[in-house]
Amino acid sequence: MKVMSKINRQSSFWVSLISVVLGLLVGAVAMTAAGYSPLLAYGALFQSALFQPYDLGETIRTISPLILTGLAVALAFRTGLFNIGVEGQFIMGQLAAVIVGLKMQLPPVIHALVAMIAGGLAGALWAFLPGLLKAKRGVHEVITTIMLNFIALYLSNVLVRTWLTNGADSTDRIADTASLQWSTLSALFGGARIHLGILFALLMAFFMYYLLWRTKWGFELRAVGFNPYASEYAGMRVDRNIIFSMMISGFFAGLAGAGELLGTQGYLAIQGGFTGIGFDGIAVALLGGNTPVGVVLSAVLFGVLTYGGNNMQYAAQVPFEVIRIVFAAIILFVAANVSGWLLGWFRSRKKGRVESHA
């Protein structure tokens, strides 16, 4: 919990901005060393992600789950927990959403809402166990959530092959009534797969802000994360708040999975590995300073880099792995607080010059 408190204190807009610039510089160095032009590559990346209606719609689609997985990690950080199980909760959200989308018959809108809520609840329930073990037995949530990630992955694969299909590799498509696709919205963005999941993501960002900073319960959740012993001395239920923190975090992750399935894929296939969207949420939360606004802005950046990075391969022949290097470098600079050290160094030099002229 001390580590989480330190990360929260270190985060600021300037620290994040400098970390992004340094990360892009590292990517530029890697490209130059490999014989590519960083100016051409970054130009192609941002141009392909933002300046055409279709690409802008696809970028927004990419941003939507990143906001929710970023919020999931950020809320856990704010309450003193490291929920590395967002990936597994994301998968459980997908699984619940496809079950509702296939097995239930409901009117439009209501069907989609029920499927989204089912996905969120599945993620919350999947996070309940590590929260319970942390609160009652002191088992570290990093260990339990990592293990639950693998259980979620293989459970989903087994159910797809044995219950949702007759041995096929993927399910049928969900009913149209459960889809988050909206043809009018898609037409505005040149037929892109943008869907209504972005509205759920922004709504949950506001919900997190209101819960943590505008309610007594949210104050308790943050207080327990900052200092559980002082919180218990003050009469707060530490164990209950730890469990609820994990469940709310899992709810966000489950919504992310449900939104991806109902809005983008439309079916669930057997997966050979993790999607990585849950793990990217850790990067989004760290860069966003674990605040709702910061997470949204950070998700926008990572969404642009992810979608634009795919197109960069065709426009500038630069491998997508370079963008993953940029991701890793940004997180390294944030975690090591290199930006904070640089800011302190510049401030001390400025103060020294002022004193020498006095």
Side-chain angles (χ1 to χ4, degrees):
M1 289 188 176
K2 289 181 179 178
V3 175
M4 298 299 103
S5 299
K6 186 178 179 182
I7 290 174
N8 289 332
R9 286 197 304 272
Q10 286 176 351
S11 301
S12 72
F13 172 78
W14 289 110
V15 168
S16 299
L17 182 61
I18 293 173
S19 299
V20 170
V21 173
L22 291 174
L24 292 173
L25 285 175
V26 169
V29 170
M31 282 185 247
T32 303
Y36 300 106
S37 168
L39 288 178
L40 180 64
Y42 284 138
L45 186 153
F46 288 105
Q47 186 176 8
S48 61
L50 298 172
F51 295 114
Q52 295 294 328
Y54 176 84
D55 293 322
L56 182 58
E58 287 293 313
T59 301
I60 295 173
R61 179 190 61 78
T62 307
I63 290 168
S64 304
L66 290 176
I67 293 176
L68 286 165
T69 55
L71 292 174
V73 178
L75 187 135
F77 275 154
R78 281 287 171 188
T79 54
L81 299 167
F82 191 178
N83 182 11
I84 205 170
V86 170
E87 190 74 35
Q89 294 144 22
F90 179 93
I91 293 171
M92 295 309 293
Q94 286 184 311
L95 183 61
V98 79
I99 291 172
V100 173
L102 289 173
K103 302 291 185 183
M104 297 183 71
Q105 294 182 348
L106 294 169
V109 181
I110 294 176
H111 199 174
L113 278 175
V114 170
M116 281 294 288
I117 293 171
L121 291 176
L125 290 175
W126 203 249
F128 169 77
L129 181 59
L132 180 69
L133 291 172
K134 171 79 173 184
K136 299 297 184 183
R137 306 294 299 170
V139 181
H140 204 289
E141 69 277 10
V142 169
I143 304 299
T144 51
T145 51
I146 286 176
M147 295 299 105
L148 285 171
N149 282 343
F150 288 97
I151 295 174
L153 176 65
Y154 295 122
L155 176 64
S156 171
N157 287 346
V158 168
L159 290 180
V160 167
R161 189 179 292 278
T162 60
W163 182 52
L164 294 172
T165 70
N166 293 321
D169 291 337
S170 63
T171 67
D172 295 333
R173 293 192 66 83
I174 59 170
D176 290 340
T177 51
S179 175
L180 289 181
Q181 288 280 349
W182 186 24
S183 58
T184 304
L185 183 64
S186 180
L188 283 175
F189 289 91
R193 293 174 294 170
I194 183 174
H195 54 79
L196 297 176
I198 186 66
L199 299 182
F200 284 92
L202 295 176
L203 183 64
M204 288 301 107
F206 176 77
F207 171 75
M208 175 180 162
Y209 161 75
Y210 190 83
L211 172 67
L212 289 187
W213 283 279
R214 286 291 181 269
T215 66
K216 177 186 173 185
W217 186 30
F219 174 79
E220 287 191 13
L221 294 175
R222 287 187 293 126
V224 168
F226 187 73
N227 192 326
Y229 304 107
S231 301
E232 186 173 20
Y233 184 75
M236 299 176 189
R237 288 285 304 276
V238 173
D239 55 350
R240 185 189 67 177
N241 285 319
I242 287 175
I243 294 172
F244 277 124
S245 294
M246 282 298 295
M247 292 185 69
I248 297 170
S249 175
F251 184 80
F252 289 157
L255 281 182
E260 271 296 276
L261 188 128
L262 300 173
T264 302
Q265 302 160 356
Y267 64 92
L268 185 60
I270 290 177
Q271 304 174 67
F274 297 115
T275 63
I277 297 176
F279 295 126
D280 285 345
I282 298 172
V284 170
L286 285 174
L287 184 63
N290 302 320
T291 64
V293 173
V295 165
V296 172
L297 295 176
S298 176
V300 169
L301 173 69
F302 279 95
V304 168
L305 291 177
T306 301
Y307 182 73
N310 287 317
N311 292 335
M312 187 177 70
Q313 297 181 91
Y314 303 103
Q317 286 75 50
V318 177
F320 182 75
E321 285 73 13
V322 173
I323 292 302
R324 304 309 297 186
I325 293 176
V326 174
F327 278 24
I330 290 173
I331 300 312
L332 178 65
F333 288 128
V334 171
N337 198 24
V338 173
S339 308
W341 178 82
L342 285 174
L343 285 173
W345 183 72
F346 279 116
R347 284 169 184 155
S348 63
R349 281 181 60 85
K350 184 178 179 181
K351 184 179 178 182
R353 283 199 298 269
V354 171
E355 290 176 350
S356 65
H357 289 301

